[in-house]
Amino acid sequence: MTFLQRLRTNCSKYTAKTALEFVRDDGVTAVTYQQLEDTTLRTMGYLRAKGVREGDRVALQLPKCLPFVYLHLATMRLGAISLPLNPGYPAHELSYFLQDAEARLLFADTEIRPTLTALPGGVPAVDETVFLDTHSDEWFHALIAGHNPAECAGLAVPQDLTATCLMIYTSGTTGRPKGAELTHGNLTANITALHQAWQWQADDVLLHILPLFHVHGLLVALHGALNAGAMTILLPRFDPEKALQTLCARKCTILMGVPAIHRRLINTPDASAYDLSHVRLITSGSDRLPDDLFRKFTTTFGHVLLERYGMSETGMLISNPLHGERRVGSVGRPLPGVAVRIVQPETEEPLPDGHIGEVQVRGDNIFKGYWRQPEKTAAAFTPDGWFRTGDVGLREPDGYFTLKGRSRDLIISGGYNVYPSEVELVLAEHPAVQASAVIGCPDSDWGEIVVAIIIPHPQTHLTREAITTHCRAYLVNYKVPRRIIFVEDLPRNSLGKIQRAKLQHELCSQP
Ligand code: MLC
């Protein structure tokens, strides 16, 4: 049964049970499984009336809200492609995604109307933009009110496992971001493996504190709970105190976060006074979990974090066990249905246990390819069909995997991926920047922070503030360099390539 079929079954099985609760400062909106199904069907009617057909892209640049969930599910149920986008993208980044994806519809918050209207020539390659006032759901319900659930109730839930239903943009070491196409089969394989590994139950209560526009918050957390017929309590944004209070008051059983979130949780005043004994699972992913954080979390809350490993292109791959040893520094063993091998990077020959090499993976969870990028798709896989993760690691003789770094230049800040090249491209647009290099430096709060090393043009007076202002205009907040260093020269190798590792070695330990 596919994820969407399972969800529909859950909606008819658990009719009166709460599926979602959205917590606002001014109150809580509860949605039963029956209401979720009815609203999804109405939304499908609305989208169909707007002309959305199989394979069309529907872009969601919305803050975390219930209409996001309805639009996402309704789009996929129609056989169309849900395209979640970070609501913080400035016009420059947003414009690229919209152009590349050629979305039929864009749903955006009224608050970003000025950003969108500032785009030269209007919103690119989108047939229509629908602005929603996401402060209240009334607005959305008024929009779909003309559509009866019966209108789309007879439509078959998509059966084609190879059809794309979700597109997530990911960056790379070169070029512009690419849309990773995930299929119904991928979503189903991912959620089936996690359901089994973490033993999701219908009486689980998930506290949802992550953004919805990424694989972690969407596919692992939200889909996981819906697939199990469980209840999800959604907080619109992460606030450590509110999270701990809600976790206790609502007797939540599952929490998922990134290391930057877990660090904030342990640093909350009187953290250890919160009784989390009813919580059965707290997971960590999207970034390496430092050993000290792993240990401090256990001493603070009496809970051993379960670290797991995944990517946008693959969904979840490896996980520490629900029962058994959650090994510090390790991401655990491959999930059911996922094959993992370690290869020698140049020859791609499999390596014996204990040897460090590139992590390559296979399974029904691995994405179909990059949107309209056949060459990049081909380059992402080995000739025999293994996906090259770009991560470096080793396998212990007992099957546990440990990640040791990356073979690509990737910075992970607060669980978000940043590729140096995309920041360097923006820096190069500044008239007073002669050359630049961007590196990630370790940071106790964010894991890594983005650091820009810049050679200013002679005869210009370049300030850090000017660089920050420039970057904020073109890049979403977590990509904006937190440290800016002016230099007269950059170290290059004999081919003229900037030596990032050398810069990291020289500059990262300095404040
Ligand atoms: C916010 N800021 C960041 C940042 N997030 N800086 C660096 N890195 C980040 N990740 C900056 C803001 O610009 C702002 O600065 C200041 O920090 C405070 O912003 P904030 O929004 O109030 O921060 P906060 O709410 O504390 O957010 C922190 C966070 C958030 C950890 C909750 O970053 C987050 O939700 N991260 C999760 C990301 C995630 O879901 N990744 C999954 C990817 S999927 P200023 O100067 O503007 O005031 C994936 C696959 C997998 O990777 O395996 O899961």
Side-chain angles (χ1 to χ4, degrees):
M1 204 185 280
T2 66
F3 161 66
L4 288 178
Q5 283 166 328
R6 164 80 57 202
L7 175 56
R8 194 170 69 167
T9 307
N10 286 344
C11 288
S12 35
K13 186 169 164 194
Y14 300 113
T15 43
K17 183 180 169 184
T18 302
L20 307 168
E21 253 191 37
F22 193 80
V23 184
R24 282 200 190 80
D25 294 340
D26 59 352
V28 175
T29 309
V31 181
T32 65
Y33 270 94
Q34 180 69 59
Q35 288 167 331
L36 176 62
E37 174 70 359
D38 286 351
T39 312
T40 304
L41 288 168
R42 284 181 195 277
T43 310
M44 287 163 69
Y46 166 80
L47 291 174
R48 274 214 313 180
K50 287 275 177 198
V52 174
R53 297 289 176 266
E54 272 183 28
D56 285 346
R57 278 74 57 210
V58 176
L60 308 175
Q61 205 205 10
L62 294 170
K64 198 169 175 180
C65 60
L66 288 171
F68 179 110
V69 180
Y70 305 137
L71 285 162
H72 166 68
L73 294 174
T75 299
M76 297 199 301
R77 278 273 288 267
L78 283 176
I81 302 173
S82 169
L83 170 59
L85 295 168
N86 187 331
Y89 282 136
H92 176 78
E93 284 189 279
L94 177 62
S95 161
Y96 166 76
F97 295 126
L98 295 175
Q99 231 152 31
D100 187 65
E102 287 184 48
R104 173 169 289 279
L105 279 178
L106 164 67
F107 289 88
D109 191 288
T110 38
E111 279 180 14
I112 69 153
R113 195 191 281 263
T115 307
L116 286 173
T117 43
L119 288 173
V123 184
V126 173
D127 290 352
E128 190 180 343
T129 304
V130 182
F131 288 102
L132 295 178
D133 178 356
T134 56
H135 291 109
S136 113
D137 297 342
E138 302 303 313
W139 229 88
F140 183 73
H141 287 289
L143 206 66
I144 59 169
H147 298 275
N148 198 294
E151 202 182 307
C152 289
L155 293 181
V157 178
Q159 308 273 348
D160 181 0
L161 294 180
T162 65
T164 304
C165 58
L166 177 66
M167 205 150 95
I168 303 274
Y169 272 90
T170 66
S171 298
T173 37
T174 54
R176 307 299 303 264
K178 312 174 285 283
E181 289 188 53
L182 292 156
T183 65
H184 290 283
N186 296 151
L187 264 50
T188 303
N190 181 60
I191 221 60
T192 307
L194 291 178
H195 190 85
Q196 199 181 324
W198 297 345
Q199 293 176 20
W200 274 98
Q201 306 291 332
D203 60 5
D204 271 322
V205 179
L206 167 76
L207 180 65
H208 195 296
I209 51 174
L210 289 159
L212 280 173
F213 52 79
H214 265 308
V215 162
H216 195 165
L218 192 61
L219 297 198
V220 187
L222 181 70
H223 284 196
L226 293 176
N227 181 68
M231 172 165 138
T232 305
I233 300 178
L234 297 125
L235 299 186
R237 74 197 69 80
F238 173 63
D239 169 340
E241 217 156 341
K242 176 93 180 165
L244 287 170
Q245 283 164 2
T246 313
L247 208 52
C248 292
R250 303 303 313 280
K251 296 263 178 288
C252 300
T253 60
I254 302 188
L255 179 78
M256 297 183 184
V258 303
I261 284 179
H262 295 313
R263 200 174 286 286
R264 282 164 174 67
L265 290 176
I266 58 171
N267 290 332
T268 307
D270 295 324
S272 56
Y274 289 92
D275 175 10
L276 305 188
S277 51
H278 52 276
V279 184
R280 72 169 188 88
L281 177 62
I282 306 182
T283 67
S284 183
S286 309
D287 193 2
R288 203 185 74 81
L289 178 64
D291 296 358
D292 71 313
L293 178 56
F294 177 91
R295 294 203 173 92
K296 270 194 205 140
F297 199 93
T298 311
T299 41
T300 308
F301 295 116
H303 262 278
V304 183
L305 283 170
L306 180 149
E307 187 176 7
R308 57 64 179 174
Y309 162 64
M311 291 176 71
S312 299
E313 288 94 334
T314 63
M316 297 305 103
L317 297 163
I318 305 180
S319 170
N320 271 284
L322 184 66
H323 304 294
E325 186 197 1
R326 296 182 191 167
R327 191 171 294 170
V328 60
S330 165
V331 288
R333 294 194 172 107
L335 283 162
V338 181
V340 184
R341 68 177 193 181
I342 301 290
V343 299
Q344 209 281 334
E346 282 79 37
T347 62
E348 299 201 310
E349 284 296 319
L351 287 169
D353 290 346
H355 286 72
I356 297 175
E358 192 192 11
V359 182
Q360 298 191 340
V361 293
R362 278 184 90 137
D364 292 340
N365 53 312
I366 312 295
F367 78 135
K368 181 163 144 182
Y370 294 114
W371 173 251
R372 294 180 180 166
Q373 302 255 26
E375 285 100 29
K376 290 203 167 142
T377 301
F381 290 90
T382 65
D384 52 347
W386 292 81
F387 176 67
R388 302 175 168 126
T389 63
D391 286 313
V392 169
L394 62 82
R395 183 185 182 278
E396 310 276 357
D398 61 2
Y400 277 66
F401 283 81
T402 303
L403 300 179
K404 295 286 182 190
R406 304 167 200 123
S407 59
R408 298 172 188 159
D409 290 319
L410 168 66
I411 303 165
I412 303 184
S413 185
Y416 288 117
N417 290 358
V418 184
Y419 281 88
S421 59
E422 54 186 335
V423 184
E424 285 166 1
L425 281 173
V426 166
L427 290 171
E429 298 277 313
H430 193 288
V433 171
Q434 182 175 303
S436 74
V438 169
I439 57 171
C441 282
D443 180 80
S444 58
D445 191 20
W446 297 109
E448 283 181 300
I449 50 162
V450 178
V451 175
I453 302 111
I454 296 172
I455 308 179
H457 262 300
Q459 281 102 44
T460 55
H461 177 67
L462 186 57
T463 62
R464 291 187 176 80
E465 292 69 35
I467 290 294
T468 304
T469 308
H470 171 76
C471 288
R472 278 192 194 280
Y474 290 98
L475 296 167
V476 66
N477 59 12
Y478 60 86
K479 295 181 190 170
V480 175
R482 301 277 131 180
R483 243 178 97 199
I484 295 161
I485 302 168
F486 292 120
V487 292
E488 289 178 356
D489 206 2
L490 286 165
R492 292 178 188 270
N493 65 15
S494 53
L495 299 171
K497 198 169 175 280
I498 291 172
Q499 294 171 299
R500 286 205 182 87
K502 191 159 186 224
L503 285 169
Q504 254 159 344
H505 180 72
E506 286 169 4
L507 298 171
C508 283
S509 52
Q510 296 172 19

